[in-house]
Amino acid sequence: MAQKTGTSQPPKHAKSARNNRISADLLPVVRFTNKDIIMQIISSEISGDKVLASAYAHELKAYGIEHGLTNWSAAYATGLLIARRVLKKLGLDEDFAGIEEADGEYTLTEAAETDDGERRPFKAFLDVGLARTSTGARVFGAMKGASDGGILIPHSENRFPGFDIESKELDAETLKKYIVGGHVAEYMEMLQDDDEERFKSQFQGYTDDDIEADGLEDLYLEAHKAIREDPFKKVEGEGPKKTKEEWKKESLKYRTKKLTHAERAERVQARIAKLREE
């Protein structure tokens, strides 16, 4: 008897692949530069990737965080900022408040009960690019901030600072210390006691703004609170955002004029003539 090859149902692995593709359409992308942290929620569509929301560490200045814009604490705050921003944009910010005050505990955003029934959370899968994913990496600070901000990002606790590989448990106090700048405060105090010259070199901006080690926790907690109150706040004194046409006009100032074919040929002949004279 010949084996039946036709089927009206797609094979299981095909359905699984399709479901995985659909569920992975939203990606929180985290990238670090020397002076900034860039975080975007990317939506994958047939026409191409689109940015649903974005947040940058330099925007934290509007919330009182002026220094250390690439450290673990800033990464957390940037993640929190984009979470509150995208949820407010989608009208989900009231249903999914996340963790009101960072406590370092491992949590995942769950479905919320509303007047219209159960509402599933905004779900996205972290994209780290080429960043190292070792335990304690800053990229997980951004992820933790977004998770505490109310976005469901599937993850475990084993890459956070404070996770004990032997006991397989997370020390919430250690993680909270990183969230509110405790590790920076400890380093400041150590340098202040052991190397005054190096302290002045590395933390000159902090001292100029009268920011002391024991005041960092309150600074970050106040920033988190301010982010929740207004995730779209602008830095004071910042001018209006330029339009695409204005940016295009600005870029033309520095763009080299493209030569025509005749102009290029004339330039080549001029160089040949100059070489012959020499």
Side-chain angles (χ1 to χ4, degrees):
M1 182 176 173
Q3 185 177 1
K4 185 177 179 180
T5 56
T7 176
S8 60
Q9 297 292 327
K12 288 184 179 179
H13 65 81
K15 288 195 291 184
S16 175
R18 182 174 70 235
N19 291 337
N20 286 340
R21 175 179 60 78
I22 293 171
S23 64
D25 278 349
L26 291 168
L27 301 172
V29 177
V30 186
R31 299 292 183 265
F32 290 83
T33 70
N34 289 337
K35 295 183 178 181
D36 209 354
I37 301 171
I38 304 164
M39 198 164 181
Q40 299 173 321
I41 303 290
I42 302 293
S43 172
S44 298
E45 299 181 7
I46 294 175
S47 59
D49 292 347
K50 293 184 178 179
V51 179
L52 182 61
S54 61
Y56 301 84
H58 68 258
E59 294 181 281
L60 298 177
K61 292 179 180 180
Y63 303 99
I65 302 175
E66 299 274 353
H67 310 284
L69 296 178
T70 57
N71 63 26
W72 214 97
S73 308
Y76 176 92
T78 306
L80 178 64
L81 178 60
I82 198 170
R84 301 313 301 165
R85 190 170 281 180
V86 72
L87 291 178
K88 192 172 185 66
K89 184 177 181 180
L90 298 174
L92 298 172
D93 55 316
E94 293 184 4
D95 292 331
F96 299 96
I99 306 300
E100 293 288 352
E101 184 173 327
D103 55 11
E105 296 289 346
Y106 169 67
T107 56
L108 290 174
T109 303
E110 299 179 347
E113 290 294 336
T114 67
D115 295 337
D116 299 324
E118 188 178 81
R119 195 168 192 178
R120 291 186 298 174
F122 181 91
K123 186 177 182 180
F125 296 86
L126 185 68
D127 182 319
V128 301
L130 299 176
R132 291 183 179 180
T133 54
S134 53
T135 300
R138 292 174 299 167
V139 69
F140 297 121
M143 180 187 72
K144 178 61 174 169
S147 178
D148 284 0
I151 294 178
L152 173 56
I153 303 178
H155 66 278
S156 64
E157 71 270 37
N158 60 2
R159 287 302 183 193
F160 290 138
F163 180 78
D164 192 307
I165 196 170
E166 294 181 357
S167 65
K168 305 294 183 183
E169 292 182 353
L170 176 68
D171 182 356
E173 284 299 318
T174 300
L175 179 54
K176 183 182 177 181
K177 181 177 72 174
Y178 275 77
I179 291 172
V180 297
H183 61 304
V184 179
E186 287 181 358
Y187 185 57
M188 287 178 71
E189 290 173 346
M190 184 194 74
L191 284 185
Q192 204 166 10
D193 294 338
D194 301 340
D195 194 338
E196 185 71 22
E197 196 170 314
R198 191 174 175 184
F199 170 78
K200 289 179 180 179
S201 173
Q202 289 190 230
F203 294 100
Q204 186 65 50
Y206 288 76
T207 54
D208 288 346
D209 290 342
D210 296 324
I211 300 174
E212 298 181 355
D214 58 5
L216 282 179
E217 181 173 344
D218 289 338
L219 184 147
Y220 281 106
L221 289 176
E222 286 298 320
H224 298 166
K225 186 178 179 181
I227 287 171
R228 289 181 171 279
E229 290 175 356
D230 182 9
F232 293 96
K233 188 177 180 181
K234 298 293 183 183
V235 179
E236 290 183 10
E238 189 179 60
K241 191 175 181 181
K242 290 184 179 180
T243 63
K244 288 184 179 180
E245 290 73 22
E246 288 174 328
W247 279 117
K248 187 175 181 180
K249 188 177 180 181
E250 186 73 18
S251 67
L252 290 175
K253 295 180 183 178
Y254 310 99
R255 188 176 297 176
T256 305
K257 184 182 176 183
K258 191 174 182 180
L259 300 177
T260 64
H261 176 74
E263 288 172 332
R264 291 198 302 272
E266 184 181 347
R267 190 169 65 171
V268 170
Q269 292 301 322
R271 288 180 179 177
I272 292 173
K274 187 176 181 179
L275 289 172
R276 285 176 176 172
E277 289 175 2
E278 293 176 353

